[in-house]
Amino acid sequence: MDLVFRPRRLRRTEAIRRMVRETHLRPEDFIYPMFAVPGSRLRQPIEAMPGISRLSPDLLAEEARVVWDLGVPAVLLFGLPARKDDTASEAASPKGPVQQAVRALKKALPDLVVITDVCLCGYTSHGHCGLLGGREIDNDATLEVLAEVALSHAEAGADMVAPSDMMDGRVGAIREALDERGFEMVAILSYAVKYASSFYGPFREAAESAPQFGDRRGYQMDPANAREALREAALDVEEGADILMVKPALPYLDIIASLAGEFDQPIAAYQVSGEYAMIKAAAARGWLDETAAMLESLTAIKRAGADLILTYFAQDAARTLSGG
Ligand code: PBG
């Protein structure tokens, strides 16, 4: 056979494969999501997310140190308040678990990039991401509360806020509120393209944030839509988003690739709780090699065009990459 081109020549040895590898994962690519609860010395493992726990601010700071020491530059904080009500009144409290965790983190690790999730679903008794007017979400009334929540995070010392509620106009409302109060250097990592996904199931157990009636399809995107993603992202850019996120990640690689081609903002992708749980569950039964599946899925997300990956595997992946 006189084949002119034999692709296998460049796959022959590991050293050659390393030379021509196009995508490299680094600890700097990862953002580690963490769950803050009020109290001290509290660690509450989340059953559907093996290896992940809800932590009180003191333990959260200890764990963040491990993450930081592995080279991961950033964490994303979610909070579970002591009390939920109709109007999410605890969400902007300076004494809330997220605000306390931000302060604890900034004290222990001043250089760690602290990002906070801005949403109401963990704080409302009905579990929706916005305030209700009857059985409907009141979009514009919700914007005011979201802006207050973002401000309370900035006041606690957050470097970036990450609105995940999918209300229209929230990036602009948050940018304006931050600028008015002198927080023009606090960045917005927007959940620009967030689909109404079944892969958030384990997270809703973790955050006790499942909607008590209906679903989120009136505000999160239809998984069938791709062009709409570009429109959503363009709106967030106009309103002042610094980083654009696609969520979930692996089932939406086409969306990550099209955003990366279309926008010059950094692109983030969120490998969500269900994506994590699937790999963990299959590995626990011996059906998948956990480390290999973890690295392959993260590499695929980066190859598609994500500059940053929010992942519950951040610790394990960074440890594996550093040979540990
Ligand atoms: C809050 C929020 C959710 C997630 C991140 N922020 C849940 C939801 O929208 O229902 C999901 C994260 C994950 O599944 O890991 N709106």
Side-chain angles (χ1 to χ4, degrees):
M1 281 293 278
D2 56 349
L3 290 176
V4 174
F5 184 54
R6 290 181 182 270
R8 290 186 54 216
R9 285 180 199 129
L10 298 185
R11 293 182 203 137
R12 196 168 51 85
T13 72
E14 176 53 22
I16 297 174
R17 290 192 291 273
R18 270 202 294 142
M19 289 169 71
V20 298
R21 187 158 294 145
E22 298 174 34
T23 308
H24 299 270
L25 290 171
R26 311 168 307 159
E28 291 80 2
D29 301 332
F30 305 133
I31 299 171
Y32 186 55
M34 303 183 84
F35 298 92
V37 288
S40 65
R41 309 314 297 170
L42 283 178
R43 174 181 294 274
Q44 305 169 343
I46 301 159
E47 201 184 322
M49 299 170 70
I52 308 293
S53 299
R54 305 185 196 116
L55 302 169
S56 51
D58 51 340
L59 293 192
L60 202 136
E62 283 174 23
E63 183 152 337
R65 184 178 297 281
V66 176
V67 178
W68 172 256
D69 287 344
L70 286 164
V72 175
V75 299
L76 170 69
L77 295 181
F78 294 96
L80 283 91
R83 205 171 47 86
K84 301 181 192 243
D85 59 26
D86 265 11
T87 54
S89 52
E90 298 250 308
S93 162
K95 296 201 187 89
V98 167
Q99 292 83 350
Q100 284 192 34
V102 171
R103 279 189 234 106
L105 286 174
K106 277 290 159 188
K107 194 164 160 213
L109 300 158
D111 296 327
L112 177 75
V113 180
V114 177
I115 311 172
T116 56
D117 186 271
V118 174
C119 193
L120 304 188
C121 63
Y123 299 84
T124 51
S125 42
H126 46 74
H128 278 289
C129 301
L131 300 182
L132 296 183
R135 304 277 284 181
E136 297 280 325
I137 307 286
D138 186 338
N139 188 94
D140 297 8
T142 301
L143 298 185
E144 289 172 33
V145 183
L146 291 169
E148 279 173 34
V149 174
L151 261 180
S152 75
H153 294 171
E155 276 161 2
D159 297 289
M160 297 186 192
V161 293
S164 69
D165 52 282
M166 288 301 276
M167 296 300 122
D168 294 332
R170 88 266 208 221
V171 171
I174 290 172
R175 184 72 274 158
E176 195 182 313
L178 290 173
D179 290 354
E180 261 171 27
R181 296 283 288 275
F183 294 110
E184 54 281 301
M185 293 309 283
V186 172
I188 299 181
L189 190 173
S190 170
Y191 286 68
V193 181
K194 177 173 177 180
Y195 286 94
S197 173
S198 50
F199 291 103
Y200 307 150
F203 173 95
R204 291 181 188 169
E205 177 209 318
E208 294 168 355
S209 65
Q212 298 303 300
F213 67 87
D215 54 42
R216 303 208 201 289
R217 283 182 279 188
Y219 39 103
Q220 299 179 348
M221 278 182 55
D222 184 339
N225 292 0
R227 277 180 296 155
E228 189 187 351
L230 295 174
R231 199 155 67 231
E232 272 285 0
L235 281 171
D236 282 14
V237 168
E238 278 169 33
E239 292 177 28
D242 298 285
I243 302 176
L244 299 170
M245 189 208 293
V246 174
K247 176 183 174 200
L250 206 59
Y252 296 87
L253 294 183
D254 56 329
I255 309 298
I256 296 172
S258 78
L259 256 70
E262 199 74 24
F263 296 93
D264 48 21
Q265 279 72 15
I267 303 295
Y270 198 144
Q271 181 181 51
V272 299
S273 56
E275 298 179 68
Y276 176 81
M278 285 196 299
I279 293 176
K280 281 285 187 185
R285 308 190 78 156
W287 294 349
L288 277 180
D289 175 332
E290 180 173 331
T291 302
M294 165 184 79
L295 292 177
E296 183 178 333
S297 60
L298 294 169
T299 301
I301 293 164
K302 187 162 182 194
R303 187 199 65 228
D307 302 294
L308 299 166
I309 306 173
L310 297 102
T311 174
Y312 303 100
F313 281 123
Q315 273 199 55
D316 291 349
R319 203 171 281 119
T320 305
L321 292 172
S322 64

